[in-house]
């Protein structure tokens, strides 16, 4: 039997199930000991949970070096919230025992979060529920399930993975996780990814279908859990594990090597990162730095904009794993498929061609200024910090940002706050307009980063997320290839560093073309770093040039595909 959920943390794992069916602690028998007594009990329980949470945060910090511990310190902040304290106190004064007050107040917040439209906010309900359960257990003196004692190699099956549970998990003991509820944006998913445990979340019915000890095969990439797999599936799994291991052994030597082509020419390999937590993984995988930090994570997950301080902390956290290294931070790129409810951008008939990327930042200059100020401040502490602008279509837009940056730097200096006014400012080349005017943009920018994901869809007029036109969407089309060639040439002629940060940076087919045009910087997702470095090492300039001449002489994407298929590129 196969159950489908959301592949929230990649990889495969198989083992006997350990099912956690923890029911909410029962407190129906508890009586009221008077307002003072209940208040004192609640205070003691709160302190206990605060201490435990601080210890969990510390444990997370020591295990991942990333910023995931902030998820737990966020719970402490919630516990100390004066509004929440007031509501609990009111419930106690109205004659509720501490447990009933916790149930009523926290339960109200859980329902509030669950009712929100934004999926990420809805998933925060799990964090509140986690706190509610732990407070109740502290009040009633029940022990938490001790996840550090799970049998080695098991698959954890539970209704919902709470942040406090996730911290207790050990990769050595837990082969994989399957839950009934939750999504890939939940905090538990972020923690599972940071710990490298394959996870399928939101697989309804899994607790009903699986009994303790039953074999479960979890595929975190496909988002499936195979219950009681047959011999054939088990063998397939073992073969896949063995192939993954062989690949790891083959790629391992590249982890600490510089990126060089087959002639020994030095190139640069960076990581695309969507959250500071991923930066830790990227550094461990051998990235030289961050070639693209997507900052949407800061804005998506909340009902109001992040403050300057929060943004500063996030940029510094992302840079921490790369002391002295390059960190390219892209300003907010919303719109299109990335909507933020509180920004209240206009409803558009064609959002991909609407108020997105830099245009959305110009539409809300007061918010854009906060991000620019945070970046200028981060630049004072991170020498390799650079700013990258999404969805640029005209030189005037870059000039406008330069003016705003200068104003913000002036303000900061006036306030006596440390900043670096001369932050390098780069342009994403991801619209045909930018590609065709790369020579003009080169005069206004400090570097280029080519975004093939958008450039391909806009050049070919084929939506990158539309299954109907999926076949048309390929960078291996003469139109896109010519644009790439021209942009790299324009950048080089102007003496500008040019990188590529779209998915195509890891494409084995595009690689010889990009190398022959002189691209020197590649930015890919952390999982593809070593493979890309190994592939780069396989090309000499002469061999790459030969492929380029043949491919660029072909008339269309079909011919180009056939050319590569005949050569069986890996
Ligand atoms: C791109 O468009 O190629 C890119 C890297 O940006 P995103 O995928 O975030 O739009
Ligand atoms: Mg893009």
């Amino acid at each position: 039997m196969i159950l489908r959920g959301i592949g929230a943390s990649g990889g495969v794992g198989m083992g006997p199930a350990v099912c956690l069916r923890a029911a909410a602690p029962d407190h129906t028998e508890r009586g009221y000991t008077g307002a003072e007594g209940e208040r004192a009990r609640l205070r003691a329980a709160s302190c206990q949970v605060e201490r435990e949470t601080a210890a969990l945060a510390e444990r997370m910090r020591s295990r991942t070096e990333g910023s995931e511990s902030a998820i737990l310190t966020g719970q402490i902040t919630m516990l100390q919230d004066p509004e929440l304290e007031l509501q609990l106190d009111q419930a106690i004064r109205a004659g509720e025992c501490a447990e009933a007050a916790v149930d009523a107040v926290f339960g109200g917040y859980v329902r509030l979060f669950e009712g929100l439209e934004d999926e990420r906010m809805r998933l925060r309900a799990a964090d509140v529920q986690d706190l509610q359960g732990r407070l109740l257990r502290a009040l009633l003196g029940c022990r938490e399930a001790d996840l550090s004692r799970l049998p080695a190699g098991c698959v954890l099956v539970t209704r919902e993975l709470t942040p406090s549970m996730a911290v207790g998990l050990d990769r050595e003991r837990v082969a994989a996780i399957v839950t009934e509820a939750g999504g890939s944006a939940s905090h538990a998913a972020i923690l599972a990814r940071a710990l490298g445990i394959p996870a399928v979340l939101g697989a309804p019915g899994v607790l009903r279908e699986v009994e303790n000890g039953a074999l479960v095969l979890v595929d975190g990439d496909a988002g499936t859990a195979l219950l009681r797999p047959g011999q054939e599936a088990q063998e397939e799994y073992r073969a896949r594990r063995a192939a993954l291991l062989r690949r790891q052994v083959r790629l391992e030597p590249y982890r600490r090597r510089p990126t060089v082509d087959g002639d020994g020419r030095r190139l640069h390999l960076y990581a695309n990162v969507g959250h500071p937590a991923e930066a830790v993984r990227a550094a461990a995988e051998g990235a030289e730095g961050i070639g693209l930090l997507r900052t949407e994570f800061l804005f998506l997950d909340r009902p109001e904009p992040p403050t300057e301080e929060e943004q500063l902390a996030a940029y510094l956290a992302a840079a921490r794993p790369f002391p002295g290294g390059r960190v390219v931070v892209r300003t907010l790129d919303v719109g299109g498929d990335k909507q933020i409810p509180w920004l209240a951008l206009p409803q558009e008939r064609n959002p991909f061609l609407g108020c997105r990327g830099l245009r959305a930042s110009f539409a809300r200059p007061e918010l854009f200024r906060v991000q620019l100020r945070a970046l200028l401040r981060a630049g004072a502490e991170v020498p390799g910090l650079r700013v990258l602008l999404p969805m640029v279509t005209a030189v005037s837009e870059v000039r406008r940002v330069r003016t705003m940056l200068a104003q913000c730097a002036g303000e900061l200096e006036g306030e006596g706050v440390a900043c670096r006014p001369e932050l390098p400012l780069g342009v994403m080349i991801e619209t045909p307009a930018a590609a065709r005017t790369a020579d003009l943009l080169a005069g206004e920018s400090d570097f280029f980063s080519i975004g093939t994901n958008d450039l391909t869809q806009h050049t070919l007029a084929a939506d990158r997320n539309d299954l109907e036109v999926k076949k048309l969407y390929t960078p291996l089309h003469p139109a896109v290839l010519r644009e790439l060639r021209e942009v790299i040439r324009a950048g080089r002629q102007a003496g500008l560093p040019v990188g590529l940060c779209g998915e195509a940076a890891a494409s084995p087919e595009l690689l010889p073309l990009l190398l022959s045009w002189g691209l020197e910087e590649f930015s890919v997702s952390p999982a593809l770093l070593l493979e890309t470095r190994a592939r780069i090492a396989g090309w000499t300039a002469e061999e790459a040039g030969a492929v380029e001449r043949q491919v660029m002489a072909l008339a269309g994407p079909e011919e180009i595909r056939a050319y590569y298929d005949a050569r069986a590129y890996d």
Side-chain angles (χ1 to χ4, degrees):
M1 172 175 201
I2 197 159
L3 288 174
R4 287 179 202 287
I6 295 151
S9 177
V12 284
M14 185 170 74
V18 171
C19 302
L20 281 187
R21 298 185 169 87
D26 181 19
H27 57 82
T28 42
E29 302 291 298
R30 272 219 75 90
Y32 186 61
T33 59
E36 238 354 277
E38 295 303 320
R39 240 182 242 132
R41 290 182 58 235
L42 184 58
R43 222 174 296 124
S46 258
C47 287
Q48 181 187 329
V49 172
E50 240 179 85
R51 270 197 313 277
E52 287 167 2
T53 311
L56 286 172
E58 192 46 50
R59 171 144 193 231
M60 195 70 199
R61 212 171 286 134
S62 66
R63 291 178 68 194
T64 64
E65 297 165 41
S67 58
E68 299 81 0
S69 55
I71 292 169
L72 293 147
T73 40
Q75 289 192 334
I76 300 179
T77 315
M78 199 190 298
L79 266 179
Q80 294 167 338
D81 181 54
E83 175 63 31
L84 191 93
E85 273 176 20
L86 190 74
Q87 290 177 19
L88 287 166
D89 201 56
Q90 275 168 351
I92 286 176
R93 261 189 289 141
E96 307 262 30
C97 67
E99 289 84 350
V102 166
D103 259 354
V105 174
F106 279 76
Y109 279 104
V110 171
R111 281 188 295 281
L112 183 85
F113 278 112
E114 282 175 344
L116 293 176
E117 242 179 59
D118 181 23
E119 200 220 335
R120 283 164 189 267
M121 291 306 294
R122 260 202 321 273
L123 292 170
R124 289 299 86 85
D127 295 6
V128 185
Q129 227 160 12
D130 184 20
L131 264 183
Q132 178 182 358
R134 286 161 58 213
L135 262 177
L136 285 179
R137 278 189 288 277
L139 278 164
L140 295 164
C142 315
R143 287 199 323 150
E144 301 271 342
D146 186 356
L147 297 184
S148 64
R149 287 166 195 255
L150 289 172
C154 71
V155 169
L156 179 65
V157 181
T158 169
R159 207 194 82 71
E160 185 146 33
L161 185 70
T162 63
S164 59
M165 278 163 81
V167 181
L169 298 179
D170 215 328
R171 192 177 6 193
E172 278 68 54
R173 306 197 82 78
V174 180
I177 302 162
V178 192
T179 71
E180 295 249 339
S184 67
S186 66
H187 278 154
I190 294 171
L191 294 169
R193 281 197 289 274
L195 295 172
I197 302 177
V200 172
L201 307 185
V206 66
L207 272 174
R208 197 181 54 238
E209 301 296 340
V210 185
E211 66 277 7
N212 266 324
L215 199 61
V216 184
L217 199 171
V218 180
D219 186 333
D221 298 309
T224 57
L226 186 58
L227 313 186
R228 296 172 284 280
Q231 273 313 322
E232 206 177 313
Q234 288 188 38
E235 256 141 51
E236 233 172 74
Y237 162 79
R238 283 191 199 100
R240 201 163 147 204
R241 288 281 304 179
L244 277 174
L245 238 101
R246 276 198 302 278
R247 181 173 174 268
Q248 266 170 15
V249 171
R250 177 171 65 80
L251 294 178
E252 190 50 41
Y254 291 95
R255 198 179 295 276
R256 318 237 168 268
R257 276 189 203 163
T259 307
V260 287
D261 70 5
D263 300 317
R265 186 169 70 110
R266 181 82 163 84
L267 301 159
H268 300 282
L269 186 58
Y270 302 105
N272 292 347
V273 166
H275 189 280
E278 264 187 287
V280 181
R281 159 122 199 258
E285 291 293 310
E288 275 175 64
I290 299 177
L292 170 67
L293 175 65
R294 293 182 165 102
T295 56
E296 290 74 64
F297 75 93
L298 272 166
F299 295 79
L300 285 168
D301 199 2
R302 48 194 306 140
E304 78 289 301
T307 63
E308 188 178 311
E309 297 297 330
E310 277 175 85
Q311 294 194 42
L312 173 64
Y315 304 145
L316 296 181
R320 206 163 293 130
F322 300 101
R326 162 104 48 96
V327 178
V328 180
V329 184
R330 183 175 70 185
T331 61
L332 182 61
D333 184 19
V334 285
D337 56 343
K338 298 172 247 182
Q339 291 297 338
I340 297 183
W342 54 260
L343 257 181
L345 292 172
Q347 286 282 335
E348 294 170 314
R349 274 164 59 101
N350 197 340
F352 272 107
L353 302 182
C355 188
R356 55 167 300 206
L358 191 54
R359 298 170 190 174
S361 291
F362 286 148
R364 298 292 302 270
E366 73 290 0
L367 293 182
F368 193 30
R369 277 206 185 88
V370 175
Q371 184 165 39
L372 295 179
R373 280 173 59 103
L375 286 167
L376 286 160
R377 289 176 63 187
E381 292 187 46
V382 180
L385 194 108
R386 299 170 163 217
V387 178
L388 181 61
L389 304 175
M391 288 302 291
V392 169
T393 53
V395 163
S396 57
E397 294 166 336
V398 188
R399 291 193 186 130
R400 187 164 163 191
V401 177
R402 278 212 196 276
T403 308
M404 290 179 77
L405 267 173
Q407 281 166 352
C408 291
E411 275 167 31
L412 286 167
E413 280 169 347
E415 294 161 24
V417 179
C419 72
R420 185 152 59 92
E422 67 293 348
L423 272 187
L425 185 62
V427 168
M428 279 205 74
I429 306 289
E430 56 180 346
T431 63
R436 299 300 305 269
T437 55
D439 56 328
L440 303 175
L441 285 165
E444 303 288 331
S445 8
D446 299 309
F447 65 98
F448 284 162
S449 187
I450 308 174
T452 40
N453 305 345
D454 273 304
L455 185 59
T456 304
Q457 75 168 347
H458 293 303
T459 299
L460 302 179
D463 185 338
R464 67 199 243 192
N465 299 316
D466 184 338
L467 293 177
E468 285 290 310
V469 293
K470 199 170 165 48
K471 272 228 261 339
L472 299 176
Y473 178 91
T474 169
L476 294 172
H477 184 297
V480 182
L481 296 179
R482 287 173 191 211
E483 278 176 330
L484 295 177
R485 184 180 62 189
E486 295 319 310
V487 171
I488 296 168
R489 182 182 293 162
R492 282 164 61 88
Q493 271 174 3
L496 233 58
V498 183
L500 201 155
C501 64
E503 303 299 312
S507 149
E509 290 94 352
L510 261 177
L511 185 59
L513 312 186
L514 298 170
L515 288 172
S516 73
W517 296 327
L519 189 81
E520 290 179 343
E521 298 176 8
F522 296 77
S523 191
V524 302
S525 88
L528 298 171
L529 277 160
L530 295 185
E531 191 76 67
T532 306
R533 184 171 283 149
R535 285 191 184 127
I536 289 175
W539 286 104
T540 63
E542 194 184 326
E543 288 160 351
V547 173
E548 193 266 352
R549 279 188 296 282
Q550 293 173 54
V551 171
M552 293 309 278
L554 298 171
E558 300 80 6
E559 286 89 339
I560 297 176
R561 190 67 264 161
Y563 170 90
Y564 285 115
D565 284 348
R567 277 156 192 81
Y569 274 38
D570 80 310

